[in-house]
Amino acid sequence: AQSVSQHNHHVILSEAASLELGCNYSYGGTVNLFWYVQYPGQHLQLLLKYFSGDPLVKGIKGFEAEFIKSKFSFNLRKPSVQWSDTAEYFCAVHGSSNTGKLIFGQGTTLQVKP
Amino acid sequence: GAGVSQSPRYKVAKRGQDVALRCDPISGHVSLFWYQQALGQGPEFLTYFQNEAQLDKSGLPSDRFFAERPEGSVSTLKIQRTQQEDSAVYLCASSTTGGSGYTFGSGTRLTVV
Protein backbone atom coordinates (compact mmCIF):
# COMPACT_ATOMS: atom_id res chain seq x y z
CA ALA A 1 0.00 0.00 0.00
CA GLN A 2 1.16 3.52 -0.69
CA SER A 3 2.29 5.52 2.28
CA VAL A 4 3.98 8.79 3.13
CA SER A 5 6.20 9.27 6.13
CA GLN A 6 7.13 12.61 7.62
CA HIS A 7 9.96 12.19 10.08
CA ASN A 8 9.53 15.33 12.14
CA HIS A 9 6.26 15.79 13.94
CA HIS A 10 7.07 19.03 15.70
CA VAL A 11 9.87 21.42 14.80
CA ILE A 12 10.76 24.59 16.68
CA LEU A 13 13.08 27.12 15.07
CA SER A 14 14.16 30.68 15.62
CA GLU A 15 13.63 33.25 12.89
CA ALA A 16 16.31 33.20 10.18
CA ALA A 17 17.17 29.55 10.88
CA SER A 18 17.22 27.14 7.96
CA LEU A 19 14.47 24.57 7.59
CA GLU A 20 14.41 21.06 6.21
CA LEU A 21 11.40 18.81 6.65
CA GLY A 22 11.76 15.20 5.67
CA CYS A 23 9.30 13.27 3.54
CA ASN A 24 9.61 9.71 2.27
CA TYR A 25 7.06 7.81 0.27
CA SER A 26 6.52 4.23 -0.72
CA TYR A 27 5.22 3.75 -4.23
CA GLY A 28 6.80 1.79 -7.02
CA GLY A 29 5.51 3.68 -10.01
CA THR A 30 5.54 7.21 -11.34
CA VAL A 31 4.50 9.71 -8.71
CA ASN A 32 3.43 13.28 -8.40
CA LEU A 33 4.55 14.89 -5.16
CA PHE A 34 3.15 17.81 -3.23
CA TRP A 35 3.75 19.91 -0.16
CA TYR A 36 0.75 21.61 1.39
CA VAL A 37 0.72 24.14 4.20
CA GLN A 38 -2.04 24.88 6.68
CA TYR A 39 -1.70 28.17 8.52
CA PRO A 40 -3.59 28.46 11.81
CA GLY A 41 -7.30 28.73 11.15
CA GLN A 42 -6.91 28.47 7.39
CA HIS A 43 -7.43 25.84 4.74
CA LEU A 44 -4.76 23.68 3.14
CA GLN A 45 -2.80 25.55 0.50
CA LEU A 46 -0.44 24.20 -2.12
CA LEU A 47 3.20 25.17 -1.50
CA LEU A 48 4.77 23.35 -4.42
CA LYS A 49 4.47 20.26 -6.58
CA TYR A 50 6.64 17.96 -8.62
CA PHE A 51 5.38 16.12 -11.68
CA SER A 52 8.46 15.65 -13.85
CA GLY A 53 11.59 17.40 -15.06
CA ASP A 54 13.95 19.32 -12.80
CA PRO A 55 13.92 17.50 -9.45
CA LEU A 56 14.51 20.77 -7.61
CA VAL A 57 11.17 22.50 -7.37
CA LYS A 58 10.61 26.09 -6.34
CA GLY A 59 7.41 27.02 -4.57
CA ILE A 60 5.78 30.02 -3.02
CA LYS A 61 7.19 32.06 -0.14
CA GLY A 62 10.79 30.94 -0.74
CA PHE A 63 10.18 27.23 -0.23
CA GLU A 64 11.77 24.56 -2.37
CA ALA A 65 11.84 20.79 -2.43
CA GLU A 66 14.10 18.21 -3.99
CA PHE A 67 12.87 14.95 -5.43
CA ILE A 68 15.45 12.18 -4.99
CA LYS A 69 14.05 9.14 -6.74
CA SER A 70 16.67 6.72 -5.42
CA LYS A 71 15.79 7.66 -1.86
CA PHE A 72 12.03 7.95 -2.40
CA SER A 73 12.30 11.36 -0.77
CA PHE A 74 10.86 14.81 -1.33
CA ASN A 75 12.26 17.02 1.42
CA LEU A 76 11.07 20.58 1.90
CA ARG A 77 13.59 23.35 2.51
CA LYS A 78 13.74 27.05 3.20
CA PRO A 79 17.02 28.88 3.83
CA SER A 80 15.65 31.38 6.34
CA VAL A 81 12.31 30.97 8.10
CA GLN A 82 10.07 33.74 9.31
CA TRP A 83 7.60 33.87 12.18
CA SER A 84 4.81 33.84 9.57
CA ASP A 85 5.93 30.37 8.46
CA THR A 86 4.45 28.93 11.66
CA ALA A 87 2.01 26.34 10.33
CA GLU A 88 1.44 22.67 9.73
CA TYR A 89 3.11 21.15 6.68
CA PHE A 90 1.90 18.08 4.83
CA CYS A 91 3.69 16.03 2.25
CA ALA A 92 1.46 14.14 -0.18
CA VAL A 93 1.87 11.75 -3.08
CA HIS A 94 -0.35 10.95 -6.01
CA GLY A 95 0.37 7.73 -7.83
CA SER A 96 -0.10 7.69 -11.57
CA SER A 97 -2.38 4.68 -11.37
CA ASN A 98 -4.63 6.34 -8.85
CA THR A 99 -7.94 7.97 -9.55
CA GLY A 100 -6.33 11.17 -8.41
CA LYS A 101 -6.45 10.73 -4.67
CA LEU A 102 -3.65 12.07 -2.55
CA ILE A 103 -1.94 10.07 0.17
CA PHE A 104 -0.84 12.44 2.93
CA GLY A 105 1.79 12.18 5.59
CA GLN A 106 0.94 12.82 9.22
CA GLY A 107 2.10 16.39 9.03
CA THR A 108 4.83 18.43 10.70
CA THR A 109 3.99 21.31 12.98
CA LEU A 110 6.51 24.12 12.54
CA GLN A 111 6.76 26.74 15.25
CA VAL A 112 8.99 29.74 14.49
CA LYS A 113 9.98 31.85 17.46
CA PRO A 114 10.41 35.59 16.80
CA GLY B 1 -17.15 31.43 -6.11
CA ALA B 2 -13.44 31.99 -5.83
CA GLY B 3 -12.77 29.01 -3.61
CA VAL B 4 -14.20 25.77 -2.33
CA SER B 5 -16.96 26.45 0.15
CA GLN B 6 -17.98 24.01 2.85
CA SER B 7 -20.87 24.20 5.27
CA PRO B 8 -21.42 24.10 8.09
CA ARG B 9 -17.99 25.07 9.49
CA TYR B 10 -18.79 23.34 12.76
CA LYS B 11 -21.27 20.62 13.58
CA VAL B 12 -22.00 18.99 16.90
CA ALA B 13 -24.04 15.83 16.69
CA LYS B 14 -25.34 13.49 19.33
CA ARG B 15 -24.26 9.91 18.88
CA GLY B 16 -26.74 8.19 16.62
CA GLN B 17 -27.78 11.31 14.72
CA ASP B 18 -27.47 11.63 10.96
CA VAL B 19 -25.46 14.53 9.55
CA ALA B 20 -25.06 16.05 6.09
CA LEU B 21 -22.01 18.05 5.09
CA ARG B 22 -22.04 20.24 2.00
CA CYS B 23 -19.31 21.13 -0.45
CA ASP B 24 -19.53 23.79 -3.17
CA PRO B 25 -16.52 23.29 -5.46
CA ILE B 26 -14.97 25.88 -7.71
CA SER B 27 -17.20 26.39 -10.71
CA GLY B 28 -16.14 24.21 -13.61
CA HIS B 29 -13.98 21.87 -11.56
CA VAL B 30 -14.61 18.36 -12.76
CA SER B 31 -12.95 16.47 -9.93
CA LEU B 32 -14.16 16.54 -6.34
CA PHE B 33 -12.65 14.74 -3.38
CA TRP B 34 -13.65 14.22 0.23
CA TYR B 35 -11.04 13.65 2.93
CA GLN B 36 -11.27 12.97 6.65
CA GLN B 37 -8.69 14.53 8.95
CA ALA B 38 -8.53 13.24 12.51
CA LEU B 39 -6.82 15.32 15.17
CA GLY B 40 -3.06 15.28 14.75
CA GLN B 41 -3.20 13.32 11.50
CA GLY B 42 -2.96 14.05 7.82
CA PRO B 43 -6.06 14.01 5.66
CA GLU B 44 -7.24 10.56 4.59
CA PHE B 45 -9.03 9.95 1.32
CA LEU B 46 -12.72 9.07 1.48
CA THR B 47 -14.17 9.32 -2.02
CA TYR B 48 -13.75 10.87 -5.47
CA PHE B 49 -16.18 12.18 -8.09
CA GLN B 50 -15.59 13.03 -11.69
CA ASN B 51 -18.57 15.18 -12.56
CA GLU B 52 -21.54 13.27 -11.13
CA ALA B 53 -19.88 9.87 -11.27
CA GLN B 54 -18.45 8.48 -8.06
CA LEU B 55 -15.35 6.74 -9.39
CA ASP B 56 -13.69 5.76 -6.15
CA LYS B 57 -15.28 5.25 -2.77
CA SER B 58 -12.65 2.94 -1.37
CA GLY B 59 -11.87 5.24 1.55
CA LEU B 60 -15.34 5.38 3.03
CA PRO B 61 -14.90 3.71 6.43
CA SER B 62 -18.29 2.03 6.62
CA ASP B 63 -21.68 1.81 4.97
CA ARG B 64 -22.81 4.60 7.28
CA PHE B 65 -20.92 7.01 5.03
CA PHE B 66 -22.52 8.06 1.77
CA ALA B 67 -21.60 10.77 -0.71
CA GLU B 68 -23.36 12.16 -3.74
CA ARG B 69 -22.89 14.78 -6.42
CA PRO B 70 -26.09 14.46 -8.46
CA GLU B 71 -25.58 17.36 -10.87
CA GLY B 72 -21.82 17.32 -11.03
CA SER B 73 -21.32 20.41 -8.92
CA VAL B 74 -22.38 20.54 -5.25
CA SER B 75 -21.60 17.44 -3.23
CA THR B 76 -23.00 16.17 0.05
CA LEU B 77 -21.32 13.77 2.43
CA LYS B 78 -23.82 12.05 4.67
CA ILE B 79 -22.99 10.13 7.81
CA GLN B 80 -25.72 8.02 9.31
CA ARG B 81 -25.95 7.01 12.97
CA THR B 82 -22.85 9.01 13.89
CA GLN B 83 -20.37 7.53 16.34
CA GLN B 84 -17.67 9.17 18.41
CA GLU B 85 -14.94 7.91 16.12
CA ASP B 86 -16.50 9.94 13.30
CA SER B 87 -15.34 13.14 15.04
CA ALA B 88 -12.92 14.78 12.64
CA VAL B 89 -12.53 17.58 10.13
CA TYR B 90 -14.06 16.70 6.79
CA LEU B 91 -12.30 18.35 3.89
CA CYS B 92 -13.53 18.83 0.38
CA ALA B 93 -11.20 19.55 -2.53
CA SER B 94 -11.77 20.19 -6.20
CA SER B 95 -9.60 20.38 -9.27
CA THR B 96 -9.89 20.73 -13.01
CA THR B 97 -8.41 17.25 -13.46
CA GLY B 98 -7.42 14.79 -10.77
CA GLY B 99 -3.80 14.90 -9.71
CA SER B 100 -2.91 18.35 -10.92
CA GLY B 101 -3.18 20.06 -7.59
CA TYR B 102 -6.31 20.67 -5.65
CA THR B 103 -8.03 23.57 -3.99
CA PHE B 104 -9.21 22.65 -0.54
CA GLY B 105 -12.11 24.07 1.40
CA SER B 106 -11.82 25.13 5.02
CA GLY B 107 -13.48 21.95 6.17
CA THR B 108 -16.33 21.01 8.48
CA ARG B 109 -15.32 20.12 12.01
CA LEU B 110 -17.67 17.38 13.21
CA THR B 111 -17.84 16.58 16.91
CA VAL B 112 -19.94 13.63 17.98
CA VAL B 113 -20.93 13.70 21.65
Side-chain angles (χ1 to χ4, degrees):
Chain A
Q2 299 170 41
S3 66
V4 176
S5 175
Q6 292 182 238
H7 318 300
N8 320 99
H9 296 299
H10 197 163
V11 173
I12 302 173
L13 295 173
S14 297
E15 275 195 314
S18 65
L19 170 72
E20 180 160 3
L21 301 182
C23 173
N24 285 88
Y25 65 93
S26 67
Y27 185 71
T30 304
V31 291
N32 298 328
L33 295 155
F34 304 82
W35 275 97
Y36 281 86
V37 62
Q38 189 168 29
Y39 298 103
Q42 295 189 28
H43 61 276
L44 280 165
Q45 300 172 41
L46 182 66
L47 262 183
L48 48 78
K49 60 186 178 185
Y50 171 79
F51 282 7
S52 64
D54 189 344
L56 185 61
V57 181
K58 305 281 187 186
I60 61 171
K61 303 186 180 186
F63 286 91
E64 65 179 30
E66 185 175 13
F67 169 53
I68 303 179
K69 188 175 181 180
S70 61
K71 294 185 178 180
F72 296 90
S73 71
F74 189 57
N75 292 355
L76 181 71
R77 300 194 292 248
K78 185 171 184 178
S80 176
V81 294
Q82 300 173 316
W83 176 79
S84 58
D85 293 324
T86 294
E88 191 151 17
Y89 293 80
F90 293 95
C91 181
V93 62
H94 164 246
S96 60
S97 62
N98 282 356
T99 52
K101 66 184 179 186
L102 290 174
I103 308 297
F104 283 87
Q106 276 192 309
T108 297
T109 301
L110 171 65
Q111 183 181 354
V112 180
K113 294 185 173 180
Chain B
V4 177
S5 178
Q6 291 189 246
S7 59
R9 284 295 308 273
Y10 303 93
K11 176 70 179 176
V12 178
K14 291 185 178 178
R15 195 171 63 174
Q17 269 187 326
D18 297 349
V19 298
L21 313 179
R22 178 186 170 102
C23 172
D24 273 282
I26 292 174
S27 178
H29 276 195
V30 167
S31 299
L32 185 146
F33 299 80
W34 283 99
Y35 289 84
Q36 180 190 59
Q37 186 176 15
L39 191 64
Q41 303 294 318
E44 291 194 1
F45 170 80
L46 292 177
T47 187
Y48 162 61
F49 290 85
Q50 188 173 85
N51 295 307
E52 68 278 6
Q54 189 174 20
L55 298 186
D56 186 347
K57 52 181 181 179
S58 62
L60 295 176
S62 77
D63 58 8
R64 296 185 296 104
F65 286 70
F66 172 76
E68 60 184 6
R69 194 186 184 197
E71 297 177 1
S73 56
V74 171
S75 177
T76 304
L77 175 67
K78 296 179 180 177
I79 309 173
Q80 297 176 325
R81 304 181 304 281
T82 52
Q83 300 178 5
Q84 280 192 315
E85 60 262 32
D86 300 334
S87 295
V89 176
Y90 290 85
L91 298 169
C92 178
S94 70
S95 73
T96 50
T97 55
S100 63
Y102 314 88
T103 302
F104 280 86
S106 297
T108 294
R109 181 177 297 277
L110 173 65
T111 303
V112 181
V113 297

